[in-house]
Amino acid sequence: MLKSKTFVKKTRSGGVMKIVREHYLRDDIWCGSEACTICKQESTVLEKDACSDSTICPYPHYLIPDTNVVLHQIDVLEDPVIRNVIILQTVLQEVRHRSAPIYKRLKDIIHEKEKHFYTFTNEHHRDTFIEREPGESANDRNDRAIRTSADWYGQHLKTAGPDGLKVVLLTNDQGNKQKAEESGLLVHRFEEYIKSLIAHPELVDRLALSNDDKNEITSSKVLFPEHLPLSRIQAGIKAGSFLQGTFRASRDNYLEATVFIQGESEDGTEVLIQGLQNLNRAVHQDVVALQLLPRNQWVAPSSVVLQDEGAAKDDNGDEEDEGKVLISTAETARKPTGKVVGIIKRNWRPFCGMLNVSQIKESTRHLFTPADRRIPRIRIETRQASTLAGQRIMVAIDGWPKDSRYPNGHFVRSLGNAGEKDTEQEVLLLEHDVPHQAFSQAVLSYLPKMPWAITPEDMEKREDLRNLTVCSVDPPGCTDIDDALHCRELENGNLEVGVHIADVSHFIRPGNALDREAANRGTTVYLCGKRIDMVPELLSSNLCSLQSTVDRLAFSCIWEMTHEAEILKTRFTKSVINSKASLTYAEAQMRIDDTTKNDSITKNLRGLNKLAKILKRRRIEKGALTLSSLEVRFHMDSETHDPIDLQTKELQETNSMVEEFMLLANISVAQKIYDEFSECALLRKHPAPPPSNYDILMKAAKSKHVDIHTDSAKALADSLDVARVDGFPYFNTLLRILATRCMMQAVYFCSGMDSDFHHYGLASPIYTHFTSPIRRYADIIVHRLLAVAIGADSTYPDLMDKQKQSALCNNLNYRHKMAQYAQRSSVAFHTQLFFKNRGILNEEGFVLFVRKNAIIVLIPKFGLEGTVFFDSKDKTGPKLVFDEEGPTLMVEQHTFHIFDKVKVTISLDDTNIQHQKIRMSLIHPVIPGVSVSASDIEPQTKKPRLDH
Amino acid sequence: MATVQVCEAEKVYILHGIRDDLRVDGRGCEDYRHMEIETDVVSNTDGSAKVTLGHTAVLVGIKAEIGKPRPMVPDEGYLEFFVDCSANATPEFEGRGGEELGMELSTTLYKVFNNKHSVDLKSLCITAAEHCWVLYVDVLLLQCDGNLYDAISIAIKAALFNTKIPRVHISVDEEGGKEIELSDDPYDCMRLDVTNVPCIVTLCKVGHRHVVDATLQEKACSVASLIISVTQKGTITCVRKVGGGSLDPESIFEMTEAGKRVGKALHAPLIKLLQQEESLGKKRQKVGFLG
């Protein structure tokens, strides 16, 4: 049967078009129920015995949710308890139209067999298709279609199925429900139904708040200005009166945010937003429209650290002071300031965090504090507050009405008890968007079949370097060895040096599931005591890993050098190697130092070491920077995996030996692939920081009467080298730490999309990553490019497409950044664990930064940074005078400068389990009323024995 | 135009018959042949109608599009005509054979219909001097068996009656930019007032008399015809003479009087029929082209 669907559409050019689609109705669409005796279906989805323990529907039944129920309550629908659901095509189409992510989740549920979700194509069914009536809105028509289908199902099951099998329509729409009741359908509000599942009270918490519920919660007082409708925002942006950008909340101050405007100018501008009203319910990462304030209302970013600590019911509490905080001072420091007028795209995701249990005992409404400080607290409703307290949970935001201080949300799932290592690890992986699920079957199917061996065909195409004395040097416990080295004297007296890199691109072929997964993950993430692999373990720790005494495929970069490390010849080749030894840095160092050893491996190492020193010296002469950041390493207890000691990483000569050759290989490869593919070479650059970045460094150095020149990398390196202060040996390291913070992020880019290739930190005109293909995807691409360049492999279209290449670079840069953050958080968490076990410690440290109301102190011994606050909310703080020029902070009589030596007590503040943090309080200098006396409990004197 | 060969004897026979008010197919001089009308036959137009008159068949489709008003009349929309002489109608139209006739027809139709006395052009205006509806009237000749003008005009009137123009709203933002907004209800549309839309009556001078709705044979016996467009009230809006021969003033007067009479009598049943069809709504059985 043929029907036609007609609708009118506006075309892009402003015209109006009538569109007619043919629409065929069929009589062979089956109901999908196992109980049905009429339909000639081959397989069924809906169970015959569809009982749930609902008290209002004690009979077996199928559920038919309407569109809004699916859109808002997908979290509940995902629960395994909800089964035997009929998803109508009308609903599916509407969901797809309204929200792509929810549509995807719905599709996932439908595909899951255990859920028994059936899609009924009611729009093409002869009996359930309806046409829109005159005067009926599209929504009303869809509601009617849903009711018609529910009715059809009811009748159908009555005649075709066993007695008592019914369908229940779930809707939250009052009008729809009433009409359904009038036509004799079984209908319930979704909340009603979920609440009737008495065996599963936890589901109630996952209900998203519907509109009328919200009204009860919040006062009628309007706290925020209305958001403008999208049409006006678009017109405003077109006219230039509004700006569009990504909202980035400040980590330190919940009343402040910046919006990056992607303007026509390349760099993009940054607009400051201050105050609750101006932030206007924007959440971190939303795309917002904003209006610039008149110039006389511009302010400077405040240096106050402010955390939202309000109590649970402070809806009408302290907004007086929140509204007009911070009238800023210095005219010069003022930045363009604006206010948010509308939201273009929300970027809400489920957030990890913890529950702030309400003080009122019976209350079911609680505030949820996300782990990410940039996310505002979220109000949720739950009856299991007592169970959830102390657990890490995930919460999704449902909406943020203009009369509510906090957004409303609902509980999604629990991750486990706070403070437990697994829970915390899960949290930080989720928060940093690190893909950490197990590899899917599709991905694993592309792994080579075991047992794997090098085939004669492989040998034919590759150079056999198994006779060379190759060895690898890595940190202890490393299983993914991706580089190995060799060095030998040639007959002509020159040296041959080879860097051999695991040939990952041999195993990962472009475009397959394995490749796509690796490209998405971008990098292996190293956390304390855990590694999240980019490629499956079989490759990372076995087939690709250049273990000793086994034959492995490699991609080699071989130079012929003079003894003065002048490169005479460079060549690249795919090869087969057999590593003679895998050493740790310390082992390698010992071999070099031990004069009695004279085996070939040791000679090899000595040769390499000698060359590396020359290379390093030459690099530093060219202006490469030696920067410093304190890296911490934990000694883990072998059984509990708790950290039992912590020390800053020590660097050995051999570290820098390996590094030197890796740099050399990277630079050689970068040059080669750029020469070959000037448009699509994947390179890495490190832009020179803008001069203003160095302000803090210059000011800090000046306070110790040291001059730092920042005109060029070379000048900076030189001035850092000579910067010393008598009687303050740690000064130089501190300066280097500060200098590191001034730097820009190094990024991957596609050579066809950029013109500035310079690597500032390494003082190299061109650079890329070639040496770690097991843990970085960028290296895999570089391998492929190089393989094409030397004719060892074939190319494929995406490799030569600079747009795609550029998109890939963006993902890689994002993943690298996130991996770094995740790593830092992991260290921070383990530091907390460490201090939890240690009790209170007194340590010496240095002031690293001075803020308006706090100083940030670095404890070199632990590589730990902490904040000492001088004001607190509840009591009147000491008199503080902040001088931005210094910058110095005067607390009562004492003035703090950068680099001041202070003594602090360190303890773990777990009074507030929501946010465990390291607390530092001042012991020395003694400031009455501010500093505390040194605690009596001295740290354990006897250190437990270390594992290694 | 399709022509038939008529021999002298036949001509005399036809001529004599008409003189006695009896035509070859039994009609009187002012009678039309059997006529069939169906509207809403092409779903992707905004209005359409199919008319068969004897063996003459025409299809009219109307598409409404947003355009810019003519500068002289900024507050009016307008109509555009295109007549497609399909080679289906007669082999003579093959290639560019029908072009001349098509041009002639469309100019005449433009003259007859595109004026504010026939169609309320002001109602087609959306915003003065900026946006108006332009009605593209496409006429397709499916079969030619004489009297094309009358059949086309009836079909156009029926199609205009059937036309549903989506209702639009103009929203003005603060910068003064105007945005056209469409109602999302497909039933929310504007109808045209067709009360004053004229019908064309073609009178064929055959011998000393004139006939309405001439067949091809009759046409072959005539030297000149008069095209008269008449409104419901009997107002004549346009008169045109076609054909090689000449007409004397007296017979022109007679012919216009007859045209008025016939035209008036044509409108009333036509409108009644259209309204009847409309009132059937969705229950109406569609005939289409194969019925």
Side-chain angles (χ1 to χ4, degrees):
Chain A
M1 199 152 87
L2 172 69
K3 294 260 177 191
S4 65
K5 269 205 220 172
T6 308
F7 54 97
V8 201
K9 204 180 100 176
K10 211 171 95 178
T11 60
R12 204 173 300 171
S13 57
V16 170
M17 244 189 353
K18 185 179 173 189
I19 293 165
V20 180
R21 297 257 161 83
E22 290 185 339
H23 190 87
Y24 290 87
L25 298 183
R26 332 179 38 130
D27 52 8
D28 60 347
I29 294 171
W30 314 128
C31 70
S33 167
E34 199 181 18
C36 176
T37 53
I38 297 177
C39 292
K40 300 182 206 84
Q41 46 210 348
E42 275 163 17
S43 62
T44 55
V45 176
L46 300 164
E47 291 173 301
K48 190 183 235 161
D49 179 29
C51 274
S52 70
D53 33 22
S54 163
T55 48
I56 51 174
C57 308
Y59 36 78
H61 58 271
Y62 300 144
L63 298 173
I64 302 185
D66 76 357
T67 314
N68 278 322
V69 166
V70 173
L71 279 175
H72 296 135
Q73 311 290 4
I74 188 82
D75 285 331
V76 183
L77 292 175
E78 274 174 347
D79 193 276
V81 173
I82 308 292
R83 280 179 293 132
N84 292 303
V85 176
I86 298 161
I87 299 294
L88 300 177
Q89 188 190 11
T90 317
V91 174
L92 202 60
Q93 279 170 347
E94 260 190 297
V95 168
R96 177 170 161 178
H97 187 65
R98 302 253 296 266
S99 162
I102 293 186
Y103 177 71
K104 191 179 171 295
R105 286 166 76 183
L106 184 60
K107 287 295 265 184
D108 288 345
I109 304 178
I110 292 170
H111 287 305
E112 212 173 297
K113 281 215 168 57
E114 294 77 47
K115 292 284 286 166
H116 300 284
F117 270 51
Y118 180 65
T119 322
F120 182 64
T121 39
N122 63 315
E123 297 286 357
H124 290 282
H125 192 288
R126 189 205 281 252
D127 299 326
T128 54
F129 173 73
I130 56 161
E131 272 184 281
R132 189 163 156 183
E133 304 274 327
E136 193 174 43
S137 78
N139 279 335
D140 287 345
R141 184 247 160 224
N142 287 340
D143 283 344
R144 193 159 60 86
I146 293 168
R147 288 199 304 273
T148 311
S149 303
D151 189 37
W152 179 85
Y153 254 103
Q155 302 296 334
H156 180 76
L157 292 176
K158 203 182 270 175
T159 51
D163 283 346
L165 188 58
K166 289 178 180 165
V167 286
V168 177
L169 181 64
L170 296 177
T171 178
N172 286 341
D173 184 321
Q174 209 53 51
N176 192 15
K177 188 179 173 217
Q178 201 181 341
K179 278 187 194 146
E181 274 165 353
E182 277 166 16
S183 50
L185 294 171
L186 276 169
V187 55
H188 292 294
R189 278 165 55 81
F190 191 73
E191 282 80 3
E192 237 168 51
Y193 180 81
I194 295 300
K195 282 176 187 157
S196 79
L197 297 171
I198 35 170
H200 304 281
E202 74 281 359
L203 281 184
V204 177
D205 294 349
R206 294 207 215 152
L207 288 172
L209 299 176
S210 58
N211 277 326
D212 29 328
D213 289 349
K214 283 176 203 154
N215 293 341
E216 300 166 21
I217 295 180
T218 50
S219 57
S220 53
K221 200 164 151 192
V222 176
L223 289 171
F224 295 102
E226 186 90 65
H227 285 149
L228 296 179
L230 207 55
S231 55
R232 279 189 61 193
I233 292 175
Q234 273 159 352
I237 290 171
K238 222 191 278 173
S241 58
F242 297 155
L243 298 168
Q244 173 177 347
T246 311
F247 185 88
R248 297 192 193 170
S250 156
R251 218 177 267 276
D252 296 330
N253 185 339
Y254 75 100
L255 292 176
E256 201 172 279
T258 49
V259 173
F260 282 82
I261 311 293
Q262 298 95 7
E264 304 84 54
S265 57
E266 271 172 35
D267 40 331
T269 44
E270 202 181 288
V271 177
L272 187 72
I273 300 176
Q274 253 183 17
L276 216 50
Q277 292 272 318
N278 291 342
L279 295 174
N280 198 0
R281 292 172 283 159
V283 177
H284 186 63
Q285 289 294 336
D286 285 349
V287 180
V288 297
L290 60 91
Q291 191 174 21
L292 279 183
L293 295 173
R295 199 169 268 268
N296 56 10
Q297 289 177 32
W298 287 11
V299 290
S302 70
S303 5
V304 182
V305 178
L306 260 185
Q307 280 166 32
D308 192 0
E309 304 267 13
K313 47 166 207 162
D314 56 356
D315 271 339
N316 32 18
D318 39 19
E319 71 255 27
E320 280 78 20
D321 48 305
E322 283 171 343
K324 46 182 179 226
V325 249
L326 327 159
I327 282 78
S328 207
T329 44
E331 191 76 28
T332 48
R334 288 189 176 187
K335 278 187 150 190
T337 309
K339 61 173 183 188
V340 173
V341 292
I343 308 286
I344 293 164
K345 187 170 172 286
R346 288 288 193 190
N347 233 335
W348 291 342
R349 58 187 170 91
F351 299 103
C352 299
M354 291 188 68
L355 204 63
N356 262 7
V357 179
S358 163
Q359 274 109 342
I360 309 158
K361 254 208 172 141
E362 285 77 34
S363 176
T364 55
R365 290 177 196 127
H366 306 274
L367 275 185
F368 161 85
T369 312
D372 188 340
R373 274 202 223 126
R374 292 169 297 190
I375 307 296
R377 295 200 282 171
I378 302 164
R379 188 190 294 103
I380 65 166
E381 197 167 332
T382 174
R383 273 167 200 78
Q384 4 166 21
S386 48
T387 355
L388 292 183
Q391 285 191 2
R392 289 281 190 176
I393 58 172
M394 283 185 93
V395 160
I397 303 185
D398 297 327
W400 197 341
K402 61 175 182 285
D403 50 3
S404 162
R405 169 71 173 76
Y406 297 109
N408 294 320
H410 66 273
F411 168 70
V412 180
R413 70 186 172 109
S414 168
L415 301 169
N417 285 329
E420 274 174 19
K421 249 204 328 263
D422 291 342
T423 313
E424 298 300 324
Q425 211 144 53
E426 178 82 15
V427 168
L428 69 93
L429 290 175
L430 282 169
E431 278 302 299
H432 294 100
D433 195 13
V434 176
H436 60 284
Q437 318 77 346
F439 288 98
S440 72
Q441 215 49 51
V443 170
L444 295 177
S445 70
Y446 285 97
L447 291 178
K449 301 281 165 292
M450 291 303 281
W452 173 87
I454 298 172
T455 61
E457 293 92 76
D458 286 337
M459 289 304 292
E460 224 167 79
K461 287 187 220 140
R462 288 167 184 270
E463 206 166 320
D464 189 353
L465 301 177
R466 284 179 292 187
N467 54 340
L468 293 178
T469 315
V470 174
C471 66
S472 63
V473 184
D474 285 285
C478 177
T479 60
D480 50 351
I481 305 168
D482 37 25
D483 50 75
L485 296 158
H486 89 271
C487 171
R488 64 171 179 178
E489 199 152 337
L490 295 173
E491 280 159 12
N492 59 12
N494 289 332
L495 292 170
E496 183 193 77
V497 178
V499 166
H500 311 277
I501 307 297
D503 192 6
V504 181
S505 63
H506 174 84
F507 297 99
I508 302 183
R509 302 310 300 167
N512 66 25
L514 178 58
D515 181 49
R516 285 198 305 270
E517 179 69 24
N520 179 39
R521 294 193 178 209
T523 174
T524 294
V525 181
Y526 295 88
L527 304 179
C528 300
K530 190 178 166 90
R531 188 177 81 198
I532 290 98
D533 277 325
M534 178 181 84
V535 296
E537 203 181 352
L538 177 68
L539 291 182
S540 67
S541 304
N542 187 356
L543 299 186
C544 289
S545 182
L546 303 176
Q547 293 153 332
S548 54
T549 68
V550 283
D551 290 353
R552 286 287 177 249
L553 302 179
F555 207 147
S556 303
C557 173
I558 298 167
W559 301 277
E560 189 180 330
M561 288 187 186
T562 62
H563 284 269
E564 285 71 47
E566 296 293 343
I567 299 170
L568 302 172
K569 233 162 66 187
T570 310
R571 69 188 181 94
F572 308 97
T573 177
K574 292 235 175 181
S575 60
V576 180
I577 61 158
N578 188 319
S579 169
K580 300 293 175 286
S582 0
L583 307 170
T584 65
Y585 290 121
E587 279 167 2
Q589 191 65 48
M590 263 151 57
R591 275 176 185 255
I592 293 172
D593 296 344
D594 187 351
T595 44
T596 58
K597 284 214 167 179
N598 265 317
D599 55 288
S600 64
I601 296 175
T602 313
K603 274 193 202 151
N604 218 330
L605 289 170
R606 288 201 188 117
L608 288 167
N609 200 26
K610 205 181 100 209
L611 289 172
K613 281 183 182 162
I614 303 170
L615 286 169
K616 182 167 188 183
R617 201 188 59 231
R618 205 178 289 152
R619 211 161 49 80
I620 288 174
E621 273 166 15
K622 271 201 266 166
L625 294 171
T626 324
L627 298 172
S628 182
S629 63
L630 291 175
E631 281 194 71
V632 194
R633 184 166 190 99
F634 291 94
H635 291 283
M636 300 284 200
D637 188 298
S638 55
E639 271 147 41
T640 61
H641 295 287
D642 281 340
I644 46 181
D645 195 16
L646 136 176
Q647 59 179 207
T648 48
K649 267 184 196 165
E650 279 173 45
L651 291 180
Q652 260 147 341
E653 225 176 29
T654 42
N655 284 56
S656 106
M657 172 187 92
V658 174
E659 191 189 329
E660 238 17 86
F661 284 104
M662 294 307 134
L663 291 177
L664 193 62
N666 285 337
I667 293 170
S668 299
V669 171
Q671 194 59 52
K672 173 79 182 172
I673 58 172
Y674 178 64
D675 290 346
E676 207 73 27
F677 307 106
S678 60
E679 280 295 292
C680 57
L682 192 152
L683 302 176
R684 188 168 172 83
K685 68 171 174 179
H686 183 212
S692 63
N693 273 25
Y694 288 122
D695 284 356
I696 187 79
L697 178 69
M698 309 265 266
K699 277 184 192 168
K702 204 166 258 167
S703 70
K704 293 284 175 204
H705 310 290
V706 171
D707 276 333
I708 297 290
H709 303 283
T710 58
D711 324 330
S712 68
K714 171 89 175 125
L716 177 64
D718 289 347
S719 50
L720 280 175
D721 282 344
V722 298
R724 306 216 179 274
V725 170
D726 287 338
F728 190 2
Y730 204 66
F731 174 70
N732 192 271
T733 314
L734 280 175
L735 260 191
R736 286 184 197 274
I737 292 173
L738 276 182
T740 311
R741 310 252 163 123
C742 303
M743 292 298 151
M744 306 283 283
Q745 189 84 36
V747 289
Y748 296 111
F749 68 103
C750 173
S751 62
M753 307 292 276
D754 211 325
S755 53
D756 173 28
F757 296 177
H758 194 74
H759 197 293
Y760 182 79
L762 296 172
S764 169
I766 192 163
Y767 192 67
T768 193
H769 270 165
F770 167 73
T771 53
S772 300
I774 300 180
R775 58 185 178 89
R776 290 190 304 232
Y777 189 77
D779 304 50
I780 296 184
I781 293 290
V782 171
H783 274 228
R784 288 180 185 158
L785 285 166
L786 186 64
V788 175
I790 61 166
D793 206 342
S794 54
T795 180
Y796 59 100
D798 282 5
L799 192 65
M800 298 295 148
D801 184 334
K802 62 178 178 179
Q803 303 295 341
K804 290 215 170 103
Q805 190 88 268
S806 188
L808 178 71
C809 287
N810 287 340
N811 181 49
L812 294 180
N813 290 330
Y814 170 74
R815 293 291 185 202
H816 274 269
K817 199 170 68 192
M818 281 323 200
Q820 228 168 39
Y821 291 161
Q823 208 166 340
R824 270 185 227 159
S825 315
S826 176
V827 169
F829 171 67
H830 281 81
T831 313
Q832 287 169 13
L833 269 190
F834 174 72
F835 283 104
K836 190 174 175 181
N837 302 343
R838 282 321 193 66
I840 298 163
L841 289 174
N842 298 329
E843 286 296 340
E844 272 187 3
F846 300 97
V847 177
L848 204 54
F849 293 107
V850 177
R851 291 277 151 86
K852 250 184 191 167
N853 60 347
I855 52 172
I856 292 165
V857 177
L858 176 81
I859 314 289
K861 186 173 166 194
F862 301 123
L864 173 74
E865 246 175 74
T867 312
V868 178
F869 288 98
F870 292 118
D871 58 355
S872 50
K873 259 199 168 174
D874 33 314
K875 56 178 189 216
T876 49
K879 202 173 114 230
L880 301 172
V881 182
F882 180 69
D883 177 12
E884 233 168 293
E885 285 311 302
T888 59
L889 178 70
M890 195 153 89
V891 183
E892 297 290 340
Q893 302 308 316
H894 187 87
T895 311
F896 287 98
H897 300 89
I898 292 188
F899 301 136
D900 279 0
K901 198 175 199 172
V902 291
K903 210 166 180 188
V904 292
T905 70
I906 310 162
S907 59
L908 181 72
D909 182 1
D910 54 3
T911 47
N912 179 359
I913 197 156
Q914 320 265 11
H915 268 268
Q916 291 197 1
K917 53 190 171 197
I918 301 291
R919 182 171 46 198
M920 289 193 183
S921 352
L922 198 64
I923 306 176
H924 185 83
V926 179
I927 304 171
V930 176
S931 60
V932 296
S933 58
S935 64
D936 304 329
I937 319 136
E938 278 300 308
Q940 299 155 268
T941 41
K942 217 178 97 188
K943 281 189 183 172
R945 223 180 58 78
L946 304 180
D947 289 330
H948 45 77
Chain B
M1 171 70 90
T3 46
V4 284
Q5 299 287 327
V6 185
C7 72
E8 275 308 312
E10 249 180 310
K11 268 190 186 168
V12 172
Y13 179 71
I14 291 169
L15 222 69
H16 285 188
I18 287 171
R19 195 181 60 197
D20 300 335
D21 199 12
L22 184 64
R23 294 158 75 176
V24 177
D25 46 13
R27 286 183 290 163
C29 281
E30 292 183 6
D31 289 341
Y32 272 97
R33 283 171 288 176
H34 176 71
M35 195 189 297
E36 279 176 17
I37 301 174
E38 186 178 13
T39 58
D40 203 11
V41 284
V42 184
S43 59
N44 48 9
T45 59
D46 294 295
S48 60
K50 198 190 105 182
V51 167
T52 54
L53 181 62
H55 287 293
T56 299
V58 293
L59 174 68
V60 170
I62 297 179
K63 290 278 264 179
E65 277 178 35
I66 291 179
K68 216 172 148 67
R70 302 246 155 102
M72 300 298 287
V73 274
D75 57 344
E76 289 180 7
Y78 58 95
L79 290 84
E80 294 230 326
F81 291 87
F82 178 75
V83 181
D84 184 9
C85 303
S86 130
N88 278 354
T90 148
E92 287 165 53
F93 290 160
E94 214 177 305
R96 311 187 68 171
E99 217 165 75
E100 204 182 327
L101 175 71
M103 284 298 287
E104 189 195 323
L105 285 168
S106 46
T107 344
T108 311
L109 294 173
Y110 186 79
K111 285 229 167 80
V112 171
F113 291 102
N114 189 46
N115 57 67
K116 54 178 181 261
H117 306 293
S118 305
V119 180
D120 183 11
L121 295 176
K122 287 211 163 70
S123 71
L124 294 176
C125 179
I126 301 168
T127 43
E130 276 180 42
H131 300 291
C132 71
W133 286 108
V134 182
L135 299 182
Y136 290 94
V137 182
D138 291 309
V139 180
L140 180 64
L141 302 184
L142 298 169
Q143 205 171 343
C144 287
D145 188 24
N147 204 12
L148 287 175
Y149 281 104
D150 295 24
I152 292 171
S153 74
I154 290 166
I156 289 176
K157 180 156 180 163
L160 284 172
F161 177 84
N162 179 238
T163 299
K164 300 179 185 81
I165 302 171
R167 215 176 279 280
V168 290
H169 309 274
I170 301 293
S171 63
V172 183
D173 53 29
E174 33 303 4
E175 281 77 33
K178 281 176 187 157
E179 196 80 23
I180 292 175
E181 280 174 18
L182 268 177
S183 148
D184 75 3
D185 184 358
Y187 293 98
D188 185 16
C189 42
M190 181 173 91
R191 303 297 290 264
L192 288 170
D193 178 18
V194 294
T195 341
N196 291 325
V197 176
C199 279
I200 297 175
V201 178
T202 313
L203 291 133
C204 238
K205 182 93 181 161
V206 181
H208 293 289
R209 292 200 66 156
H210 43 81
V211 293
V212 164
D213 188 21
T215 60
L216 283 178
Q217 285 84 358
E218 286 162 343
K219 187 102 191 269
C221 307
S222 131
V223 281
S225 338
L226 201 61
I227 292 169
I228 302 167
S229 72
V230 190
T231 66
Q232 203 172 10
K233 292 186 195 117
T235 320
I236 292 174
T237 58
C238 182
V239 179
R240 239 192 113 194
K241 196 218 75 165
V242 290
S246 54
L247 297 170
D248 61 292
E250 199 169 326
S251 59
I252 290 181
F253 180 73
E254 269 175 37
M255 284 159 90
T256 40
E257 281 306 308
K260 245 196 229 177
R261 204 163 49 239
V262 174
K264 260 171 98 173
L266 184 62
H267 275 291
L270 176 65
I271 288 293
K272 205 175 137 210
L273 203 68
L274 290 173
Q275 278 165 347
Q276 212 173 353
E277 189 184 33
E278 171 93 1
S279 67
L280 288 174
K282 286 217 158 101
K283 289 185 299 243
R284 187 186 121 208
Q285 200 82 49
K286 286 195 181 177
V287 179
F289 299 93
L290 303 172

